[in-house]
Amino acid sequence: MTNTPVHVTCPAGTITGYTIDTVNYFHSVDYSEIPSDFADARPLQAPRDQDARVPRPEAVALTITAPAETTDAPVLVYIHGGRYEHGTHEDPRAEGTANAQAGIVQVQVGYRVGLPGFASFRDDEAFRFRGIDDCQLALEWIQRNIESFGGDPTNVTLIGQSAGATTALWLMRRDHYRGAFRRVVALSPAFPLESNEKRKASLRRALGVPVTRESLAALPQDKLADGYSKFRKKHNLGMALGPAPFDAAEMVDIPLVVSSTRDEFYGIPVAQKIDSSPLRGIALRQIAPKFGFPPNSFGPWRQIASYIDKKRPLGRMIGDANIRRWVAQSADDAPGPTWMIEFTRSGRPALHCEELRFIFGVRDGESARTLNSWLHNFVRTGHTGFPEYRPDHAIWEYNLDSGDERVAHGSLDYVGAVFSG
């Protein structure tokens, strides 16, 4: 295959990418200016020409994959996951060729991760985080420029996975939403279990310096990394970084699809070790409060979790506390219409992130083509093809291996009952 250069002139300047067959690619396009690691980003101050033919996966940038000949195409914006510690806008699991071939303009957004993106400072505006504000600037860039790439800025769907889904839900908050997207798909969102204040105090102890822009900027990189590693160990079964607290009732009234995988974190080594121990019942009871289980809720939860899977109760507890509680809350309490999906597999657990290659059409096979086609339809029309979650707690179960599907009811009610009490 040969690459043919392609030039797009837009309000941000002339962007040079390349064409392969019927798809245009523009890699790592700068959408903001970041004066320093811990400073607030700002929009690009003037149009600039950019050569976007070579990926820069470490950059805070965005990548556009678009049909070579299109106008007014629906736009899909993807925010990557990675526990707010790693990840890239060049995430190969969400590469956009299949979507572009179906007539959709896809944009993959990068943002600051780690302490530059999510350390909380005293002068920060409440409920704002630099990493999420980076995504806000990317959405503003898309609104101003995507029409030049063939996209319709009035028909934007936002999709995120794990921490990216968390960001998507946070951008739905009434104090964040600016009309830059009209519907959301949140795949396995994960919020921190502790407040910003508690995590900030823990970070301060680990670093040995005040958590200020000046002190973090002055720390040598090796000491900053060592301090963060100590801090991270205190949150090894949850999110050390990220926005909190989450309240789905604070979101705007737009369509929302939320999902989880059936088994999420069964593959974590520490969970596998405890789940294989004869003392796992005692360990679970001791761990439950750290996951936010209210008093007297462990017993009823354990009864249902054992019915679902007797052999891996801690793996289920980690998934319930870090993922499924937020999926249930979002579906229950979001002001707008909601739908829920649960991804399963045949003969083995369905783990965190495994749905990505299927839903973006990166993986071969009929099941992936079906799920990718489902995404195309939702992005174009907002229609899911299965019942809304409310009032009957309907859940579309989709098997990633076989493509079998069915509508179940109330599968996560036990999780909602634990964490809403």
Side-chain angles (χ1 to χ4, degrees):
M1 293 183 293
T2 59
N3 298 356
T4 303
V6 60
H7 309 279
V8 170
T9 299
C10 59
T14 297
I15 315 297
T16 299
Y18 59 87
T19 302
I20 297 179
D21 295 331
T22 61
V23 177
N24 290 342
Y25 299 88
F26 304 87
H27 291 284
S28 303
V29 179
D30 293 328
Y31 63 80
S32 68
E33 295 178 353
I34 302 175
S36 60
D37 283 350
F38 300 100
D40 293 339
R42 61 193 181 211
L44 297 176
Q45 298 302 294
R48 64 173 70 167
D49 295 345
Q50 298 189 52
D51 188 335
R53 288 174 289 183
V54 178
R56 294 177 291 123
E58 74 290 345
V60 177
L62 57 82
T63 286
I64 302 167
T65 310
E69 299 291 339
T70 190
T71 58
D72 295 326
V75 179
L76 179 66
V77 178
Y78 170 68
I79 303 177
H80 68 78
R83 300 183 74 152
Y84 291 126
E85 295 175 339
H86 52 83
T88 172
H89 64 282
E90 287 285 329
D91 188 344
R93 301 168 301 176
E95 197 272 334
T97 298
N99 293 331
Q101 289 172 339
I104 293 167
V105 175
Q106 178 171 312
V107 184
Q108 294 172 249
V109 172
Y111 55 95
R112 276 175 289 180
V113 296
L115 295 179
F118 292 92
S120 294
F121 301 130
R122 183 175 54 196
D123 59 345
D124 285 341
E125 186 179 345
F127 305 117
R128 304 203 78 89
F129 302 84
R130 287 173 302 286
I132 295 177
D133 286 347
D134 289 346
C135 295
Q136 192 81 272
L137 285 176
L139 288 167
E140 293 174 3
W141 189 98
I142 292 165
Q143 283 297 301
R144 291 191 299 270
N145 294 281
I146 205 64
E147 192 170 4
S148 301
F149 295 84
D152 178 0
T154 71
N155 189 12
V156 176
T157 300
L158 186 61
I159 182 170
Q161 193 272 336
S162 194
T166 304
T167 295
L169 294 178
W170 204 257
L171 288 167
M172 286 180 65
R173 286 172 55 106
R174 287 190 294 272
D175 58 358
H176 280 60
Y177 186 70
R178 299 176 183 173
F181 50 91
R182 63 192 301 181
R183 62 186 73 89
V184 168
V185 180
L187 307 170
S188 296
F191 286 89
L193 302 176
E194 292 188 337
S195 68
N196 292 328
E197 292 74 17
K198 286 185 178 179
R199 286 179 288 135
K200 184 175 180 179
S202 174
L203 178 62
R204 182 170 57 248
R205 289 191 295 270
L207 293 174
V209 298
V211 182
T212 65
R213 298 175 200 271
E214 296 75 18
S215 62
L216 296 193
L219 273 181
Q221 286 299 310
D222 58 340
K223 290 188 176 181
L224 191 64
D226 288 345
Y228 184 78
S229 179
K230 294 176 183 176
F231 165 69
R232 179 68 185 78
K233 288 178 182 177
K234 296 180 181 294
H235 306 275
N236 62 329
L237 294 180
M239 300 282 284
L241 299 174
F246 174 64
D247 182 353
E250 295 177 346
M251 298 193 297
V252 295
D253 181 352
I254 61 173
L256 169 64
V257 176
V258 288
S259 76
S260 60
T261 62
R262 172 70 57 84
D263 309 299
E264 293 290 354
F265 297 119
Y266 276 13
I268 294 178
V270 66
Q272 292 175 333
K273 181 177 181 180
I274 292 176
D275 278 339
S276 64
S277 168
L279 301 177
R280 65 186 182 188
I282 297 173
L284 284 170
R285 190 172 293 276
Q286 292 176 340
I287 292 170
K290 297 180 181 180
F291 283 125
F293 278 61
N296 303 319
S297 65
F298 174 76
W301 173 88
R302 178 70 190 279
Q303 184 177 6
I304 296 175
S306 296
Y307 174 79
I308 297 171
D309 190 337
K310 288 184 178 180
K311 295 182 179 180
R312 289 170 282 209
L314 182 55
R316 180 143 298 275
M317 178 180 281
I318 295 171
D320 284 351
N322 282 286
I323 302 290
R324 285 182 282 268
R325 67 182 294 184
W326 312 117
V327 171
Q329 186 195 133
S330 298
D332 278 325
D333 297 339
T338 62
W339 295 263
M340 187 186 291
I341 303 173
E342 184 174 62
F343 296 108
T344 65
R345 305 212 70 161
S346 299
R348 68 182 185 89
L351 301 180
H352 195 62
C353 301
E354 288 188 338
E355 77 278 24
L356 270 176
R357 294 182 185 274
F358 291 84
I359 201 166
F360 280 91
V362 173
R363 185 182 175 112
D364 291 331
E366 188 62 31
S367 172
R369 284 190 291 272
T370 298
L371 190 57
N372 187 228
S373 294
W374 172 86
L375 180 64
H376 298 161
N377 184 64
F378 183 69
V379 168
R380 292 188 188 106
T381 69
H383 299 150
T384 65
F386 55 87
E388 287 188 35
Y389 177 75
R390 298 182 293 239
D392 299 323
H393 292 195
I395 302 171
W396 186 47
E397 294 183 358
Y398 187 82
N399 188 299
L400 296 173
D401 294 310
S402 67
D404 291 342
E405 56 183 278
R406 69 171 189 141
V407 175
H409 294 86
S411 304
L412 296 193
D413 285 2
Y414 79 99
V415 179
V418 167
F419 293 105
S420 63

